[in-house]
Structures are given as C-alpha cells and as structure tokens.
Amino acid sequence: MRRKVTLKDIARELDVSISTVSKALKNSNEIGRDTRNRIQAFARSHNYRPNNIAVSLKNKKTRNIGVIIPDIVHHFFTTVFRGIEKHANSLGYNVIVCVSDESFDKEVINTELLANGSIDGFIIGLSAETQEKRDYSHLKEVTDQGIPVVLFDRVTDEFPCDKVIIDDEVAARQAVEYLISKGKKRIALFTTAHDLGVTKNRSLGYKKALENHRIPFDKNLVLQLPFQFEEEELSRSFFKEQTFDAVLSVNEIFAVRGMRLAGEFGYRIPEDVSFIGFTDGILSKYAVPSLTSIAQHGEQMGETAARMLIDKIENEYDETDASNYRTEIIEASLIKREST
Amino acid sequence: MRRKVTLKDIARELDVSISTVSKALKNSNEIGRDTRNRIQAFARSHNYRPNNIAVSLKNKKTRNIGVIIPDIVHHFFTTVFRGIEKHANSLGYNVIVCVSDESFDKEVINTELLANGSIDGFIIGLSAETQEKRDYSHLKEVTDQGIPVVLFDRVTDEFPCDKVIIDDEVAARQAVEYLISKGKKRIALFTTAHDLGVTKNRSLGYKKALENHRIPFDKNLVLQLPFQFEEEELSRSFFKEQTFDAVLSVNEIFAVRGMRLAGEFGYRIPEDVSFIGFTDGILSKYAVPSLTSIAQHGEQMGETAARMLIDKIENEYDETDASNYRTEIIEASLIKREST
DNA sequence: CTGTTAGCGCATTCAA
DNA sequence: TTGAATGCGCTAACAG
C-alpha cells in the first residue's frame, strides 16, 4: 500500500525544507527557477496532491458546503440538489448532504455535526416538523458562529438569512386563472392535511384567483388528503358528492390519482374535468393523459442558492445586519399538456 | 460573532493545560474528579464541540464516506443513496456525494478530489462512459492508497473490490417466465440502444427464459430505443409491424410509454398485451394501468454497500488479496400490478 | 493527577 | 533565494 506523498516526503527526498517545497509548488517566485522546477517535476512524477484536511485546518476553509434536505427520494429536492451540486462543483466546492427525513431532531443533529468545522456554509430546506415547531435556534447558533445559511423552498419569515423560493401563491393563482380562462367554473383544490408554508401559499393563490374572478370560494371543493393518499375512500366520496370541472393539486401524485378516479367515474379529461398539478416531475410527463403542471425549476433554484451561499462565504458581511439578506424568487411556469 | 470555543480557550480560562482539558472531556480517570467536573461543566455551558477537521487530521480518519453516482435525479440511485445515508449516519458517518453525470472525466476528477483526505472510503456506481471505456485506473489508484471502494449496481468484473448488485439476469428471466406462465407466447423486449452492464444482463435473462421454455428468440421482437425515447416513430412502427402479447422493458419509462401506445392501438392491457418494467419507481405505481415491475430494493442495496464499506474502513485487511472481496446479491422481486 | 512535548500536513512570517 | 519557527485544534506518549 503506497502511502500518499506529503510535502515532508518531497522535502526529505530533495533535501530542501518543507516550506521551500510548499512555496515551489505554488510557483512562488520567492523560490529559484531551477529548484522550483526540480520540486515541481518531482511532485508531478510522484503524483503529489495536497491533503484537503490539512489545508482546511490551516485555512479555516473547507470548501465544502452542507446541504440538508427533508427527503432525497423526492424529485423536486433532487432537482434542487443537482443545481447546487453543479454550481458548487464548478467553483471548486464539494457538497455534503444530510437528510432530515422531515424530522426536527435530525435536522438539528445534522446541522450541529456539520457546523463543527466540516463545512463553510449551509443550504437548507426546512423539515416539516421544524416548520410546525417554529424553532429555529439551531440556525441561529450556526449563523452566530459566522456560518452563512441559505434557505430554499421550505423557508420561514421568522429567521433572517438569504432565501430562494418560488412564489407559490402567484403560481397557484396563475394556474387557476388559466383554468378559468378555459371556461372552468367549479375548480376543486386537492391539498394535504396539514398545510404549512408552501402548501398554504398555494391555497392562498387558489383563493385569490377565484376572488379576482368573482367566483365564490366553496370549501366543499377543497379535498384534504393524508400524505400518501392511500385512503382512497376519501377521494372516491369526494368524486361522488361534488361536482367540479377542474382540479388544482398541490402535488403530482394527488393529481394523477385524481385523473385515474375521474376515468373510473367516466369523466373525459380535459373536456369534463381538467387537471393541473404542482411540481413538474416524471409523473406529469408520462401520465396518460399527460398532466399540465407547474414547473418549479428546481435546478435553477439550487444554482441560485449555491451562488448566494458562496458569495456570503467568500465575502465579508455583517450577519447581524438584515439588509445584507435577500430573498430571490424563481419564476414558476405552467407546462401545458393534455390534461387541460 | 461568537467564535467557536476550543480546548485552548477552556485551558486558558480554567488555568490548566490543554491536554488536561482534552482528557477531562473524554472523562479519562487520569484526571482528578473535581477538575474533571469543573472542566466538563465549563465546556457544557460554553457549548464546546470538538473541531471535526482537527480530529480528522490527527486521527487520519474523517468519518466521511464518498458516494459517486451517475445521476442524482434518478429514482433508483436516490433510493440507494438513502440506504447508504441512513446506515452511515447511524454509525456516525457523514456522506459526501458527487455526481459523475455519466461522464468518465467527472468520475475521475471527483474520485481524486475526495481521495485527498476528505473521505475514508468510496461507494461508487460507475458512469456509463467508464463502463464503455473499461478504464478503472482511478479506482486502482485509490485502493492502492489503502482507501476501500465498494461498487454497486454499475459494477465491473475487471476490478477487484467489494460489490453489491442485483442479479439482473435472474430477475429478467423470472419476469419473462411469469409472463409465459400467464400464457404469453410472443414476448417483446424494450431495451436501450447501447446495452452494457446491467441492461445486457437483463437481455440475457430474457433470452434464457425463452430458451428454457423452447420459445425461439426472435430478434424482431427486440426494440432498441434511444435513451430519452423521444423518437416515437421507432416504437410506433414497431407496434405496427410486429405482433406480440407481452413486453419486458428494461426501465419504467419505456414500459409506460409502451402502454400508452398500446392504448392508442386499441390493445387491452393486460388481456391483449402485458407489460413488466424494471425499476419499481413512482411511475410504475401511479401509471394507469399500474405497472407490474421488478423492484430492485435500492435502499437495501445502499445499506449493504455502506455496511461492507464501513467494515473495510474499520478493520484491517490486505487489499491485494482478492479473497477479501465479496459480491453481495440483493434479491429482486416482482411487484404484480394491473399490467399483467 | 497534571503538564510538557511532539506531531498530524500545510501555510506563512520572519530571519538569514 | 532559502529555511526555521509558529500555529491551525486536537491527541497521546511520556515525564514529573
């Protein structure tokens, strides 16, 4: 087992000092032309690579960024992650991921762990539990230590830092207005049982659209589904009891399952019922009929988050001054397909 | 900005030496009961946490594991990743991910980068390009340095190390035999244009099943699709020209798109044509009709990979002795749904 | 029981 | 132009 060669090894072999080697490898012209060449040649032929850990310790910079997301098996987050990873890599940063599994405790543990020197900054999508508890002390601890944090998608107004979101309210409103423009009058909303943050804003947008077009809001047209939507009875009775000609769903799955039920009930899509779903994922694209959906441009969101974070990492700023923090909004867009 | 407190800080405050603090915090009974308490109390109240980087440098162990996957926006890999992450975390390891994007060069760069001290071991799914080039020198470099590597799913016989795979050949054979048992006689295979590794084994299993049941292999029943399957003409003419009563697809997408075409051609599923697809992802579950699929149990695969890797990290072994390496096979299973 | 010393691999200041 | 010395934060062997 060939051990890694260090500066010390090179110094010993070439009978110079460690600092000479260090400087020579940085091509410092403090070192003579010929010794520099000798050292560089030797280093190259012995495949010298600086030890990341030692460099980190010395420089107090790891060039790692920590990402904490609620769930990795989730198309949207995965997409954001890709954006982060690409941008970070292109600037010489590596990405350490931890998954909170929607748990507050895991989020806290992971944050603390990574904050102890492993990373230079965080990109976080808050867990559902954190959003419910509204406890952000772990984030405060981190920023107090001078570690910058960027929140994405799952954000909160109660913690000051850089954020990147899509305007869920506007996106929902526009989607519903699109349905209205197609002549739809009784538009249902499929949403989750708990609606916090993102989901809440989507509901607001839905209501706003109705309001703008003087369509009365009918709470009977709101179907709240448990997360995994396995309780099919709920939605089946909704289809039996309510009449509606369009559906806005806060996610793909509810929409696709809704379309299946619509089929069973003999409705034609989109003539009898139209569907629009949030999150333009693989399901929307390949469903039959394919689903009109709201693309959140996760990759762009990730890239933006990475850009904001690295900017904070590399430039001095006063973390107590709220005016240093911005919230970037990624435009959502409606991908029109067969379901409308 | 409250800086992080270090051993040195505590030592200064309490007027003891750094090593005393270090030992006291490890609860070493080399240190007197009372000083130990004093130090521990101080540390707790000042929220002392050891600096990961310094510990890593000292111990030559990072407790990080490096994961390199071809694509993060891919349900199966994501699932494997979750398995890795969960298991690793439970044993106190963090995970650094890099994405190769199916590119050989990126795979090499990422491997080298992480190998320079950032991680204690690798879990890798080879990129398509690497499998084509059959160049594994970057892996060799890494293992030569004593860094263990575990390959998963995208593996190769040409590099000796621990591996975890599913037996794609057997899984495909069993799927086809299931179709045969349902009375199907003309079974088509939807596969990718290039078939290396995994895909190749699936094709072999397909042929093997036919052979076992004395059904002649008909190469006209093999449809090779470009990766994104956007060239719909190819498959449309396949549907026009060939007669078949079942399909085995090497992925979900080809299967689902096939089902849509079958619908357009007026075939009933599964009476006229049955479908089975590899990878039990979200599409299989929510497609209409839902797709019978081969579950690869990615999470279990990831967990196994993590277990094998951490075992190698924590225990001495001779990396030149091939008998130290094992290949674990994860059983695939057929999830029966409406499409068969 | 406590402290001194050395060292992990590297960068950098200062002296020669 | 080169090198000695110092330190990043922590651990551990050894001495007192």
Side-chain angles (χ1 to χ4, degrees):
Chain A
M1 165 172 140
R2 215 176 59 208
R3 242 187 66 266
K4 283 230 82 159
V5 29
T6 69
L7 291 186
K8 195 198 238 179
D9 298 330
I10 302 183
R12 185 170 9 83
E13 291 298 317
L14 262 42
D15 207 46
V16 289
S17 83
I18 293 179
S19 62
T20 304
V21 178
S22 174
K23 288 169 189 162
L25 291 179
K26 296 208 131 44
N27 221 343
S28 155
N29 43 357
E30 228 180 295
I31 305 297
R33 255 248 139 287
D34 45 343
T35 28
R36 227 189 302 169
N37 289 144
R38 252 174 72 229
I39 292 174
Q40 288 177 2
F42 186 92
R44 210 170 313 115
S45 73
H46 286 67
N47 205 22
Y48 169 79
R49 295 276 182 284
N51 178 313
N52 297 155
I53 296 290
V55 174
S56 295
L57 181 59
K58 181 70 199 171
N59 295 347
K60 309 254 214 155
K61 286 287 167 216
T62 61
R63 293 194 88 81
N64 283 154
I65 83 184
V67 174
I68 301 182
I69 51 182
D71 179 7
I72 182 82
V73 186
H74 184 301
H75 185 265
F76 172 64
F77 289 133
T78 252
T79 285
V80 175
F81 180 80
R82 177 200 260 168
I84 296 174
E85 216 257 354
K86 276 194 182 170
H87 193 72
N89 274 8
S90 76
L91 295 178
Y93 283 78
N94 275 111
V95 178
I96 301 188
V97 213
C98 289
V99 177
S100 66
D101 254 334
E102 303 287 10
S103 140
F104 173 76
D105 290 340
K106 283 201 191 173
E107 186 176 300
V108 172
I109 291 173
N110 285 326
T111 327
E112 295 203 336
L113 204 68
L114 295 185
N116 295 322
S118 299
I119 51 90
D120 296 338
F122 278 111
I123 296 178
I124 303 179
L126 296 172
S127 79
E129 228 184 67
T130 307
Q131 287 190 306
E132 272 179 73
K133 294 185 75 145
R134 300 167 58 171
D135 179 349
Y136 310 108
S137 44
H138 54 302
L139 302 185
K140 176 114 182 53
E141 291 247 326
V142 160
T143 47
D144 276 355
Q145 286 170 38
I147 300 177
V149 171
V150 175
L151 254 27
F152 75 91
D153 192 57
R154 304 274 201 92
V155 305
T156 171
D157 287 339
E158 298 169 39
F159 184 77
C161 67
D162 283 334
K163 287 159 202 165
V164 34
I165 53 172
I166 72 154
D167 191 331
D168 286 280
E169 187 180 324
V170 168
R173 180 169 60 69
Q174 288 173 344
V176 172
E177 285 177 341
Y178 177 70
L179 291 170
I180 294 171
S181 79
K182 289 277 195 169
K184 302 293 178 174
K185 308 257 183 256
R186 287 190 57 77
I187 301 170
L189 174 68
F190 287 7
T191 184
T192 50
H194 289 279
D195 68 350
L196 294 148
V198 164
T199 319
K200 189 174 177 185
N201 291 330
R202 291 173 190 173
S203 302
L204 284 176
Y206 164 81
K207 284 178 192 155
K208 192 74 70 83
L210 298 182
E211 204 172 282
N212 288 350
H213 294 263
R214 308 188 193 295
I215 299 178
F217 169 68
D218 178 354
K219 73 175 191 323
N220 291 318
L221 287 182
V222 176
L223 176 61
Q224 295 208 89
L225 266 353
F227 205 77
Q228 281 304 34
F229 195 45
E230 303 298 358
E231 294 181 34
E232 216 176 278
E233 273 324 301
L234 255 177
S235 31
R236 204 173 280 283
S237 56
F238 183 86
F239 270 81
K240 277 200 200 105
E241 290 160 18
Q242 306 299 329
T243 60
F244 50 93
D245 53 15
V247 172
L248 174 69
S249 166
V250 299
N251 62 38
E252 274 188 323
I253 295 186
F254 292 177
V256 169
R257 308 267 343 226
M259 292 203 296
R260 160 183 278 249
L261 273 177
E264 284 181 24
F265 278 80
Y267 299 134
R268 289 164 307 160
I269 301 170
E271 295 82 356
D272 301 330
V273 205
S274 300
F275 285 84
I276 296 185
F278 260 87
T279 300
D280 180 49
I282 196 169
L283 268 181
S284 304
K285 190 165 172 191
Y286 293 109
V288 182
S290 57
L291 178 66
T292 292
S293 63
I294 297 160
Q296 301 169 95
H297 305 298
E299 193 157 337
Q300 193 191 334
M301 187 174 232
E303 189 186 315
T304 304
R307 186 167 33 70
M308 290 173 98
L309 181 66
I310 292 176
D311 175 69
K312 281 279 187 296
I313 289 175
E314 299 188 344
N315 300 299
E316 285 304 314
Y317 69 104
D318 174 2
E319 83 271 6
T320 60
D321 179 359
S323 72
N324 283 315
Y325 297 126
R326 284 165 313 132
T327 295
E328 295 222 4
I329 296 172
I330 305 292
E331 291 280 326
S333 47
L334 197 65
I335 312 286
K336 292 168 192 162
R337 297 210 182 84
E338 295 162 352
S339 69
T340 54
Chain B
M1 163 170 141
R2 217 176 58 207
R3 243 187 64 266
K4 283 231 85 163
V5 29
T6 68
L7 290 187
K8 194 197 238 177
D9 298 330
I10 303 183
R12 185 170 8 81
E13 292 298 319
L14 263 42
D15 207 45
V16 289
S17 83
I18 295 179
S19 64
T20 304
V21 178
S22 174
K23 288 171 190 161
L25 290 179
K26 296 207 131 44
N27 221 344
S28 157
N29 42 359
E30 229 180 294
I31 305 297
R33 257 246 134 292
D34 47 343
T35 27
R36 228 190 302 169
N37 288 141
R38 251 175 70 231
I39 292 173
Q40 288 177 3
F42 187 92
R44 211 170 311 116
S45 73
H46 286 67
N47 203 22
Y48 170 78
R49 294 276 182 284
N51 178 314
N52 297 156
I53 295 290
V55 174
S56 294
L57 182 59
K58 180 70 198 173
N59 296 346
K60 307 253 214 160
K61 287 285 167 221
T62 61
R63 293 194 90 79
N64 284 155
I65 81 183
V67 173
I68 300 180
I69 52 182
D71 180 7
I72 183 80
V73 186
H74 184 303
H75 185 265
F76 172 65
F77 289 132
T78 253
T79 286
V80 174
F81 180 81
R82 176 200 260 168
I84 295 174
E85 215 258 353
K86 278 193 180 169
H87 193 71
N89 275 7
S90 76
L91 295 178
Y93 284 79
N94 274 111
V95 178
I96 301 188
V97 213
C98 289
V99 178
S100 66
D101 254 334
E102 303 286 11
S103 139
F104 173 77
D105 289 339
K106 283 201 191 174
E107 186 177 300
V108 172
I109 290 173
N110 286 325
T111 324
E112 295 202 336
L113 205 67
L114 295 185
N116 296 321
S118 299
I119 52 91
D120 296 339
F122 278 111
I123 296 179
I124 303 178
L126 296 172
S127 78
E129 226 183 68
T130 308
Q131 288 190 308
E132 272 179 73
K133 292 184 78 148
R134 301 168 58 172
D135 180 346
Y136 310 108
S137 43
H138 54 305
L139 303 184
K140 176 113 181 53
E141 291 245 328
V142 160
T143 48
D144 277 353
Q145 286 170 36
I147 300 177
V149 171
V150 175
L151 254 27
F152 76 90
D153 192 59
R154 304 275 200 89
V155 306
T156 171
D157 287 339
E158 298 168 40
F159 184 76
C161 67
D162 283 335
K163 287 157 202 168
V164 34
I165 52 171
I166 72 154
D167 192 331
D168 286 281
E169 187 180 323
V170 168
R173 181 172 58 68
Q174 289 174 343
V176 173
E177 285 176 341
Y178 176 71
L179 291 169
I180 294 172
S181 78
K182 290 278 196 169
K184 303 293 180 176
K185 309 260 184 252
R186 288 189 57 78
I187 301 170
L189 174 69
F190 287 7
T191 184
T192 50
H194 288 280
D195 69 349
L196 294 147
V198 164
T199 319
K200 189 173 176 184
N201 291 330
R202 292 174 188 172
S203 301
L204 284 175
Y206 164 82
K207 286 180 191 155
K208 193 74 68 85
L210 298 181
E211 205 172 280
N212 288 351
H213 293 263
R214 305 188 195 296
I215 299 177
F217 168 71
D218 178 355
K219 72 175 192 325
N220 291 318
L221 288 182
V222 176
L223 176 61
Q224 297 207 86
L225 266 353
F227 204 78
Q228 282 303 33
F229 194 45
E230 303 298 359
E231 295 181 33
E232 218 177 276
E233 273 323 302
L234 255 177
S235 31
R236 204 172 279 281
S237 56
F238 183 86
F239 270 80
K240 278 202 199 106
E241 291 160 17
Q242 306 298 329
T243 60
F244 51 94
D245 52 17
V247 172
L248 173 70
S249 165
V250 299
N251 62 38
E252 276 188 321
I253 294 185
F254 292 177
V256 168
R257 307 266 344 223
M259 292 202 296
R260 160 182 278 248
L261 272 178
E264 285 181 24
F265 278 80
Y267 298 135
R268 289 164 309 159
I269 299 171
E271 295 82 356
D272 301 331
V273 204
S274 301
F275 284 84
I276 295 185
F278 261 87
T279 300
D280 180 47
I282 196 169
L283 267 181
S284 304
K285 191 167 172 191
Y286 294 108
V288 182
S290 58
L291 178 67
T292 292
S293 64
I294 296 160
Q296 300 169 96
H297 305 298
E299 193 157 338
Q300 192 191 333
M301 188 174 231
E303 189 187 316
T304 304
R307 187 167 31 69
M308 291 173 96
L309 181 66
I310 292 175
D311 176 69
K312 280 278 187 297
I313 289 174
E314 298 187 345
N315 301 298
E316 284 303 313
Y317 69 103
D318 174 3
E319 84 272 6
T320 60
D321 179 359
S323 71
N324 283 315
Y325 297 126
R326 284 165 312 132
T327 294
E328 295 222 7
I329 296 172
I330 305 292
E331 290 280 323
S333 46
L334 198 65
I335 312 285
K336 293 166 191 163
R337 297 209 182 84
E338 296 163 352
S339 69
T340 55

